[in-house]
Amino acid sequence: MPVPRTPGLGFGLFVPPMHKVRSSPTRSLQRDLELIAYAETLGFEEAWVGEHHSGGSEIVGPTEVFLAAAAQRTTRIRLGSGVVSLPYHHPFHVAERAVLLDHLSMGRSMLGVGPGSLPTDAAMIGVPWGETRRRMLESWEAVHHLLTSPEPLTVKTDWFELRDAALQLAPYSSELPIAFTAMESPFGPSLAGRYGAGLLSLSATSATGYAALGRHWGVVEEQAAAHGQTVDRRNWRIVTMVHVAETRDQARREVAVGLPGFAAHSAQVSERTLKWMEADPDDPAPTAPPTIDELVDGFGGTRIACIGTPDDAIAMIEALQAETGGFGSALLYLGTDWTTPEALHRGLELFSREVMPHFQGSWDALDRSRERVVATREERLREQRESIEAAGRDYAAKVAR
């Protein structure tokens, strides 16, 4: 059974999973499973895993299959689809797999849904990219009914049909946690408000998305009020990119292994790019590859990544809280191949020791205890000395008698 939430801000992983293109896919998948199991031992409370079908880097397709494997290797961490691309699947299968995973994980599963992120994924299975949001909404209405109502559902659209459909297996959880994704547009936040669900913001991983981040929860609240729903900022999760080490120089050296490849791949397959990586068609001269310092400064300059020390990570998270007006469910640590596996694990361990407690209040009682000892030190020492002296006098008196 899942453990109760830690007081204060929660922490989790967001695993696309994104790997070096020319790396063993079999070993990469095993490393992802090991990463989730290791994160559980460090106190991370959630792990969300993405669905992608092209690009050669984000290599988990059927998310639920991977999460089922993760459920067998863990006991406490909650496991979420981050996310199921609804336009790519029949809604009955989405609901059925979500319920089965809920049972296999003994109530630790979470269902994240979205319209899809890579146009090539949609193109391969014949889904027009301009139709993805409409299809997502149609699918979600069916999925939501199947998950929450015992009444059979009959519906027909131009791309799926249900006839008196009902799940034979009810969810294990009394209420299966649901989250919609958000990047730049208000589409995901509006659905989160309409259905009283959680919000999974990937906005903090790009400069343009970061600019839209502060508006997201306002849309959630507006739509919740319009549809009679109740929403809570504690159900707002934000994904961010972090790697910490004992010093900034060490953190930069460690990400030099994989950050250039990550940045180049992101620029090739999506809009996640930095302005100096965009080619100028009017400039015939080839652009020199950015140095690691330029990469790190570019990410840091847009506040979309922290490559530095635990104190730097604390400052970045506090800036995110100020930008958003506060979020509480979890900050999700983006898992990528920026570093070696050993450096990644060291960074996670350091993050769990020196960053997570700052936001969870787990140092407060220790600080109060230490301050109390320091404040009363002289008085306690005086009592201790008097007690020792009294014991000495008592013993001398006994010897004399």
Side-chain angles (χ1 to χ4, degrees):
M1 294 293 293
V3 295
R5 291 199 64 86
T6 303
L9 179 63
F11 290 87
L13 297 179
F14 187 84
V15 185
M18 187 173 287
H19 296 289
K20 296 177 184 176
V21 175
R22 301 197 65 81
S23 181
S24 166
T26 305
R27 181 61 195 135
S28 293
L29 292 170
Q30 293 301 315
R31 281 176 47 203
D32 292 328
L33 292 170
E34 293 163 4
L35 177 65
I36 292 172
Y38 181 61
E40 180 181 69
T41 70
L42 299 176
F44 285 82
E45 300 170 3
E46 301 179 355
W48 297 78
V49 177
E51 171 194 345
H52 302 88
H53 306 278
S54 60
S57 175
E58 298 162 288
I59 57 176
V60 170
T63 305
E64 302 89 347
V65 176
F66 182 89
L67 292 176
Q72 298 304 304
R73 291 162 170 80
T74 56
T75 59
R76 294 176 294 123
I77 195 167
R78 288 182 288 273
L79 303 167
S81 56
V83 294
V84 175
S85 300
L86 292 183
Y88 305 165
H89 307 275
H90 194 288
F92 188 87
H93 295 151
V94 173
E96 192 173 47
R97 291 193 293 259
V99 168
L100 180 58
L101 182 61
D102 195 32
H103 282 268
L104 293 175
S105 66
M106 300 289 285
R108 291 186 288 135
S109 68
M110 304 172 290
L111 177 60
V113 296
S117 61
L118 293 179
T120 49
D121 289 356
M124 288 195 302
I125 56 177
V127 176
W129 190 247
E131 293 286 308
T132 54
R133 285 185 170 82
R134 174 183 70 86
R135 292 192 183 196
M136 177 191 162
L137 183 56
E138 292 173 344
S139 174
W140 173 246
E141 290 174 346
V143 171
H144 184 259
H145 180 98
L146 292 167
L147 291 175
T148 60
S149 174
E151 297 298 321
L153 176 63
T154 296
V155 62
K156 184 174 183 178
T157 73
D158 59 350
W159 65 285
F160 74 84
E161 181 176 3
L162 290 165
R163 300 178 185 176
D164 290 328
L167 300 180
Q168 65 174 348
L169 188 63
Y172 177 94
S173 303
S174 58
E175 185 175 351
L176 184 65
I178 304 295
F180 292 90
T181 55
M183 191 66 183
E184 298 177 35
S185 82
F187 181 70
S190 67
L191 289 176
R194 176 175 175 178
Y195 287 94
L199 187 65
L200 185 61
S201 288
L202 285 75
S203 310
T205 60
S206 78
T208 53
Y210 195 104
L213 191 58
R215 300 192 297 271
H216 280 176
W217 198 254
V219 174
V220 174
E221 292 179 328
E222 290 170 2
Q223 291 301 308
H227 292 88
Q229 297 285 357
T230 300
V231 292
D232 193 322
R233 283 179 178 267
R234 287 177 295 182
N235 290 324
W236 187 7
R237 297 165 174 87
I238 292 182
V239 180
T240 191
M241 299 184 287
V242 181
H243 177 68
V244 295
E246 283 75 8
T247 67
R248 291 178 179 174
D249 286 343
Q250 181 182 343
R252 289 188 176 219
R253 289 195 304 271
E254 289 176 347
V255 299
V257 174
L259 183 57
F262 168 85
H265 176 77
S266 297
Q268 290 168 349
V269 302
S270 73
E271 295 180 354
R272 292 175 298 194
T273 185
L274 301 176
K275 60 182 181 180
W276 38 259
M277 294 183 68
E278 298 170 353
D280 182 355
D282 297 326
D283 184 1
T287 303
T291 66
I292 189 61
D293 286 337
E294 289 174 331
L295 278 169
V296 173
D297 292 341
F299 277 117
T302 53
R303 297 179 293 174
I304 63 175
C306 172
I307 299 168
T309 67
D311 286 341
D312 293 330
I314 289 171
M316 185 195 71
I317 296 168
E318 289 177 339
L320 272 174
Q321 290 179 318
E323 181 73 21
T324 61
F327 60 96
S329 183
L331 180 100
L332 303 181
Y333 194 117
L334 184 70
T336 66
D337 274 355
W338 283 3
T339 67
T340 64
E342 296 77 17
L344 173 60
H345 282 214
R346 284 197 308 273
L348 282 172
E349 201 272 341
L350 186 60
F351 188 89
S352 73
R353 283 194 287 112
E354 300 190 16
V355 179
M356 288 162 56
H358 177 85
F359 296 96
Q360 294 171 337
S362 52
W363 285 333
D364 295 349
L366 300 173
D367 289 339
R368 289 193 297 269
S369 178
R370 183 174 58 254
E371 290 166 2
R372 189 163 56 247
V373 168
V374 172
T376 61
R377 178 177 181 273
E378 292 304 320
E379 182 180 355
R380 299 288 87 83
L381 287 177
R382 177 182 56 77
E383 293 173 347
Q384 188 180 48
R385 286 192 297 268
E386 290 175 352
S387 175
I388 294 171
E389 291 169 359
R393 290 192 298 270
D394 290 345
Y395 179 76
K398 289 179 182 179
V399 171
R401 288 196 297 270

